Amino acid sequence: MIRSSAFANKRYAILGLARSGMATLDALHASGAKLLAWDTREDLRMAASDKAIIADPLETDLSDYDAIVVSPGVPLNTHPIREKASDDGVPIIGDVELFAKARMSLPPHRVVGITGTNGKSTTTALIHHIIQSAALPTHMGGNIGLPILSQTPLPAGGIYVLELSSYQIDLTYSLDCDVAMLLNISPDHLDRYDSFDAYAAAKVRLFDMMGDGGVAIFGGGDEKTQLALRLMRADDRVQNIVDTSTIILEGQADWPSLQGPHNLQNAIAAVAAAEALGLHEHQWRPALQSFKGLPHRMERLAEASGVLFVNDSKATNPASTGPALGAYPKIHWIVGGLPKSDDLKECEPYFGNVVQAYTIGDAGPMFGELLAPHMPVDPCEMMLTAVQHAAANAKPGEVILLSPACASFDQFKDFEARGDCFRCAVNSVIEKDQIGTAAGGSIS
């Protein structure tokens, strides 16, 4: 884990003891900080009891604390901790801000920060893979599910690659990235922000923290990203600015885990970051081909009787599903869940690639009405039914794609559980028919 003398003898209250909260607890405790910790779950409170005072910060005088470290999952727009912190005069920060404060204690290194609405995890993992393939020391962390404070400090010359959500950036104030990247901005998480503009502004704050020696990379042609690019160009503080929407990169057919127009954009952004770090084409191009991708993100699960099954459960909004539909010419599309919008406009340019749609979840009836004028629709409601029907209809050379364009919380605890359900359904169909072999090995 990362320890720092910057935390010794300081007092922190930790609110939220899930993955990043526990990593924060361990790192601060090992650094000699004095801690108070709280979570609504009793088992997590018990797990923290040997390292912290267990008490609800809302019921504790925090006026002599150095900060309240809040999990990104805590909704600051509605949670009373914001008012409590204001009353006690204590800043609210997150684990990424603690990492920023610890950097002075670490061997000389560089940091790449990636944000955006869609594609963050794939781009983060791809940049990490390129750096790793070039035999440079690297860790990835942040929103990708690996708390950065739990990582072993890198030796001199190492590169930390951080996926950063808007929630994490909201809790960060001094992260000076050597390379900062904004992939794209589309409406999302609007339950946490007053408006789409406020959500976009949260993303762009990543660049506000940069020093003048950093490289700013903008990856999308959408309105908000291009506005941020124009504002950055008007600011003389950062001189090195890259607009990847103007870059052409050939060879995508050779990158099996990076199919679709969105993954081409991700690859271009990752290459721009690699070159900003001083890597060359002979280092990054082979890495694009060897990249295996991430679970639930255009993940090739299996091929049976010439039909490919692809798990894109992470596509939780239409803006991320649209390009997924552009990845293959003949798709049996499993779509639906808890909708984030009442339209599928971002998907419309790719409707011609869809052989048939299979709707599931709460959005099923609404999406069925939207899609019926454009393609055959099978109202399945449940995942297993959708997979069974799609498998019965698909012909060799076609693709069965789960790309829901929705959140998962109507039927599943998260997008991972939804993707795992799809995987199990695919296994069931293949085993029942006793056909096909998994792409690259078992899909269990």
Side-chain angles (χ1 to χ4, degrees):
M1 75 185 71
I2 290 176
R3 300 176 176 86
S4 175
S5 58
F7 308 136
N9 298 314
K10 291 194 173 179
R11 296 167 67 88
Y12 295 96
I14 302 172
L15 178 60
L17 292 171
R19 189 178 299 167
S20 65
M22 280 297 183
T24 297
L25 178 83
D26 291 340
L28 290 177
H29 180 263
S31 300
K34 300 175 181 178
L35 305 173
L36 178 148
W38 184 255
D39 194 284
T40 56
R41 287 177 51 181
E42 184 178 0
D43 60 325
L44 296 179
R45 298 198 300 268
M46 290 293 294
S49 61
D50 61 336
K51 297 176 181 176
I53 298 169
I54 304 301
D56 188 341
L58 294 174
E59 300 174 0
T60 305
D61 182 2
L62 302 177
S63 58
D64 60 346
Y65 278 67
D66 292 278
I68 305 171
V69 187
V70 175
S71 164
V74 174
L76 292 181
N77 59 326
T78 59
H79 199 283
I81 193 62
R82 171 176 277 178
E83 183 177 353
K84 170 65 174 175
S86 177
D87 291 343
D88 288 354
V90 185
I92 296 177
I93 64 174
D95 65 320
V96 176
E97 176 63 15
L98 290 172
F99 169 72
K101 292 179 179 299
R103 290 183 67 187
M104 67 182 69
S105 304
L106 300 175
H109 62 275
R110 288 178 288 177
V111 171
V112 180
I114 301 101
T115 195
T117 303
N118 298 309
K120 296 187 299 298
S121 294
T122 294
T123 305
T124 298
L126 180 55
I127 293 170
H128 175 258
H129 176 69
I130 292 171
I131 297 168
Q132 202 170 45
S133 298
L136 295 174
T138 180
H139 285 319
M140 64 177 173
N143 193 59
I144 201 165
L146 300 169
I148 190 59
L149 294 178
S150 68
Q151 305 291 327
T152 303
L154 291 170
I159 302 170
Y160 296 90
V161 184
L162 305 180
E163 178 189 341
L164 301 170
S165 70
S166 59
Y167 303 160
Q168 288 170 313
I169 296 172
D170 286 340
L171 298 167
T172 306
Y173 303 94
S174 61
L175 181 68
D176 179 4
C177 293
D178 298 274
V179 179
M181 177 185 296
L182 173 62
L183 290 169
N184 48 64
I185 306 178
S186 59
D188 204 358
H189 303 304
L190 299 186
D191 57 328
R192 292 276 293 262
Y193 295 94
D194 293 337
S195 64
F196 181 28
D197 286 346
Y199 167 67
K203 295 285 190 187
V204 174
R205 277 196 57 252
L206 180 63
F207 299 102
D208 295 339
M209 294 182 274
M210 289 183 68
D212 55 11
V215 178
I217 298 176
F218 295 84
D222 61 271
E223 178 184 354
K224 297 295 186 185
T225 301
Q226 287 298 304
L227 174 59
L229 171 62
R230 291 195 296 273
L231 292 173
M232 182 61 69
R233 282 176 169 161
D235 184 349
D236 294 335
R237 185 175 50 84
V238 177
Q239 299 296 317
N240 299 316
I241 300 172
V242 179
D243 177 7
T244 68
S245 67
T246 65
I247 297 175
I248 297 174
L249 183 62
E250 297 181 348
Q252 189 180 17
D254 297 326
W255 316 328
S257 294
L258 292 167
Q259 296 302 296
H262 57 326
N263 275 325
L264 178 59
Q265 293 171 359
N266 294 338
I268 291 171
V271 167
E275 295 194 338
L277 294 168
L279 302 183
H280 302 287
E281 184 170 358
H282 73 274
Q283 294 170 297
W284 57 253
R285 187 168 287 279
L288 297 179
Q289 185 170 358
S290 61
F291 180 62
K292 297 301 184 185
L294 292 169
H296 314 296
R297 298 161 177 87
M298 294 298 287
E299 179 187 11
R300 296 164 64 97
L301 289 184
E303 188 170 348
S305 295
V307 175
L308 179 64
F309 295 81
V310 177
N311 170 19
D312 194 36
S313 182
K314 184 61 173 66
T316 59
N317 56 55
S320 54
T321 287
L325 296 177
Y328 302 101
K330 293 184 177 180
I331 294 171
H332 293 261
W333 178 25
I334 300 175
V335 58
L338 188 65
K340 293 184 176 181
S341 66
D342 57 3
D343 63 62
L344 291 166
K345 288 182 180 178
E346 292 93 342
C347 302
E348 289 177 3
Y350 308 99
F351 281 174
N353 289 357
V354 180
V355 176
Q356 183 162 336
Y358 306 80
T359 58
I360 61 174
D362 285 1
M366 177 179 67
F367 283 0
E369 291 183 7
L370 292 173
L371 296 174
H374 306 280
M375 65 192 69
V377 177
D378 183 350
C380 294
E381 187 176 352
M382 305 303 292
M383 181 72 74
L384 179 59
T385 305
V387 173
Q388 290 173 336
H389 289 193
N393 294 333
K395 299 176 181 179
E398 297 180 343
V399 175
I400 296 174
L401 172 68
L402 169 66
S403 192
C406 287
S408 58
F409 306 122
D410 56 336
Q411 296 178 319
F412 305 95
K413 69 174 184 178
D414 51 34
F415 74 85
E416 289 99 337
R418 178 170 61 190
D420 290 341
C421 179
F422 178 64
R423 182 191 301 270
C424 290
V426 171
N427 271 330
S428 174
V429 166
I430 291 176
E431 290 171 2
K432 179 180 178 182
D433 292 340
Q434 297 182 340
I435 55 177
T437 57
S442 171
I443 63 171
S444 61

